[in-house]
Amino acid sequence: MASKVGDDPDSLMSLCTVFCLKNLRRTMCYSEGERNQLQLRPDVFLPGEICDRLVNVYMDLVHTDSDFEPQDGFFQLFSDPRSTRLTRLQLREDQVRDRDLEAIGKQDLMELHLTYCSSLTARSLRTLCSFRHSLLSLSLFGCSGVFFRKSGAPLAAAEDEDEDEEDLEERLQRHTVDLDFSFQGFNRLRLLNLGGLPAEVDVETLLRPLPGLTSLDLSAVHLPRPAFLTQWRERLASLVLYNVELTEELIHTLLQMSRLRHLDISRENQRTSKFKMTRKTLSSIVQSLVNLVSLDISGHIMLDNCTVPAFEDAVGRPSIEPCKSSIYPFQELKRPLQFLGLYNTTLCNVTHIPAYKVTGSKNEDQILNAIEMYTEQRPELAHRAINQLFDIARIQHCSQLLRALQLVITALKTHKYDKSIQVTGSAALFYLTNTEYRSDQSVRLRRQVIQVVLNGMEHYQEVTVQRNCCLTLCNFSIPEELEFQYHRVNLLLLKILEPARQDESIQRIAVHLCNALVCQVDNDHKEAVGKMGFVKTMLNLIQKKLLDRMCDQVMEFSWSALWNITDETPDNCQMFLECNGMNLFLDCLKEFPDKQELHRNMLGLLGNVAEVKALRPQLLTRQFITVFSELLDSKADGIEVSYNACGVLSHIMFDGSEVWTMEEPKRSHVMDKMWAAIQSWDVNSRRNINYRSFEPILRLLPQSCAPVSQHWATWALYNLVSVYPSKYCPLLIKEGGVILLQKVLELESSHQETKDMAREVMEHCENFKEDPMDTSS
């Protein structure tokens, strides 16, 4: 059977890289000195491809894997070019420090892309100079701090790197431009991105020593004298001026850049621009820049005379032929553009657009193109486009599901601290992972969704993000699909439930998820979750609801979760008793006498506690036994409450008469009530219960100290194998139940009624072995 798209296994190279990074001291490194300094082993020599991959994957893990601990001194491993080679690096955000770049200062870097590295200071400008002989491509996008140094003090190489955020903010408020830095000597540099360069820096002076540039990004840079750009008119192939205010002088300059293949003069917002894009301006660009294959004019106010009349626009099938273009200036193109950015303009709505790839908001394709093009460096546009994708997934139908999911995942990973992206991205994921789309999604893709959802929950304690993330997790098979992150997802949910007054809807969803996560999992998982404080958290929620005198879904789910987590898990049962669980049980019974679902969940949980021999003495008090006896008469939820109350008492009776030290109620009287209750139940009752093992029931069979317990256990088996033979006959046979039932027949103390029932159970199992086909509806 063919696997789904995206379900291919990771390459061996990827697996080895991640393993080495997560186990540095066990693979290529060792620790040295008192500070446990990380050192590369002396016999390790790594080629450029491996080193680049190690550093780039390291950065990815730091930003997207919460279990991955950043390693102090990691970049120092690459300080010696004789044993390591670095050539192409992409580093982002505040994890990158001046000392990290200094550590690799001897490397012959060809590409260095720094994005939003807000912790870098002018010290890193010095380090950049050490790469000047080899650097071909440099990006300092969003790294404005790198051009400043502390005022009134010389630049010290030993500046304290570990200052806190307040110190950094205070220092940047007292900054001065570092005028000593120059691009002099960067003779090989061809691609340069200075997006976000502060207005205090004179861009013209800074760029003068770089005559060889072929690609330049000056997004959001102040250009008081744009004519200086003409020094590259014979060389520049790509120019990005996103969010640069257009003027007649700047347009005149651009028209001289005849070698341009890519021009981006887009804006984030129409309202902030005085410039109006006219038909004449657009025509001039098309006529003068004959080599253009890519143009972005997103965000501009377009004057109406740019497009053909509506009746012409509607003629024929959509075409990318320039001669049929609905936008007049583009009729002069010699061939369709590879890319045309029309996002947040009226032009994206026309029928005939002469470009292979268009960004806009008219349809799904344009919106996905916008997310793809703008995510990396324009989160404000990506956020808007993801919001439009959200509407498509919610109201219409997303036809490019895999691409949409991958783009949203990338956006959430890239901008984990951006509230707008996190809110819209997590909302879009909810709709893109629901049942309608599920069959198209690979295991790997769904795991990636889970990872970014958990990242969002971890890094953003904001109500909308938390709610969206919790709702998205509900689209997955729980616990199966979440098991690979089992420990982490439980911790996050418990953290969400900690605050005394949590948003009601989040609380409800989180408790539902907690309950689903501890249902149908192995006992070691339950024990681990118990140690995280699960039992205590659920009891705290119950306590709060009791104080509010409210029995809602949170209350019921919390008791259900406790029922599930204590199943065959003695440690958690003990925790329940230690955390005042029994008193809460009594208080809930008293406060909510008519809540059947609640009673069922509470009694199910106490049945688990009663199965633990060491804990049963704590249940053997006059108050508790009286309550359990009274509940034998309950008709709540069919037979479930009465059945579970009888189960609790059956385990207590199994310990014999010698442990029954109280005067009232009498053991014999309680036993009589148990007999009466069992005889009142319909043996064909359909059940609200799920047994994974019969072991706790089977241990009550071959004994004579409590025939009523034996009878309850036999009745339970009879009911389950009668109503659900295909599920419970194999389980009973597998666990040796038939042999134990035979012993019931041999015991003189067994009541005749019990023996008759035991024979019926054995017959059911025998018949099932002969004809395993289940024909019940």
Side-chain angles (χ1 to χ4, degrees), residues 5-30:
V5 177
D7 229 1
D8 304 326
D10 287 322
S11 69
L12 187 57
M13 171 71 91
S14 297
L15 293 169
C16 289
T17 305
V18 172
F19 181 82
C20 286
L21 289 169
K22 289 186 172 180
N23 300 277
L24 282 171
R25 285 177 173 82
R26 288 167 49 203
T27 53
M28 44 198 262
C29 300
Y30 67 98

Side-chain angles (χ1 to χ4, degrees), residues 181-287:
F181 175 76
S182 162
F183 277 117
Q184 199 69 45
F186 285 73
N187 299 330
R188 299 188 68 193
L189 199 62
R190 296 294 176 264
L191 287 80
L192 179 62
N193 183 339
L194 292 177
L197 185 76
E200 298 95 323
V201 180
D202 183 351
V203 63
E204 189 176 341
T205 306
L206 189 67
L207 293 178
R208 195 173 291 127
L210 298 172
L213 288 181
T214 58
S215 175
L216 181 60
D217 187 327
L218 297 175
S219 295
V221 175
H222 181 51
L223 301 178
R225 301 174 301 279
F228 80 93
L229 292 170
T230 55
Q231 67 178 299
W232 297 288
R233 64 172 173 255
E234 295 303 320
R235 295 192 66 96
L236 213 58
S238 173
L239 179 60
V240 177
L241 301 174
Y242 171 66
N243 270 350
V244 172
E245 184 61 46
L246 294 183
T247 60
E248 291 301 326
E249 186 187 357
L250 180 50
I251 293 291
H252 176 72
T253 302
L254 294 176
L255 296 179
Q256 299 174 56
M257 315 290 283
S258 58
R259 296 297 180 96
L260 279 180
R261 293 173 59 77
H262 170 62
L263 174 63
D264 184 341
I265 49 174
S266 61
R267 297 192 61 79
E268 176 193 350
N269 201 322
Q270 294 176 346
R271 291 187 299 253
T272 58
S273 175
K274 299 172 191 155
F275 183 85
K276 305 283 189 295
M277 184 66 75
T278 64
R279 178 174 172 179
K280 182 184 174 187
T281 302
L282 212 45
S283 293
S284 301
I285 289 171
V286 171
Q287 290 164 5

Side-chain angles (χ1 to χ4, degrees), residues 105 107-110 112 125-138 181-190 210:
Q107 295 284 355
D108 292 330
L109 284 187
M110 293 168 68
L112 178 59
L125 287 180
R126 299 286 159 279
T127 308
L128 283 184
C129 290
S130 62
F131 306 130
R132 65 181 180 272
H133 304 298
S134 58
L135 218 51
L136 295 170
S137 175
L138 173 65
F181 175 76
S182 162
F183 277 117
Q184 199 69 45
F186 285 73
N187 299 330
R188 299 188 68 193
L189 199 62
R190 296 294 176 264
L210 298 172

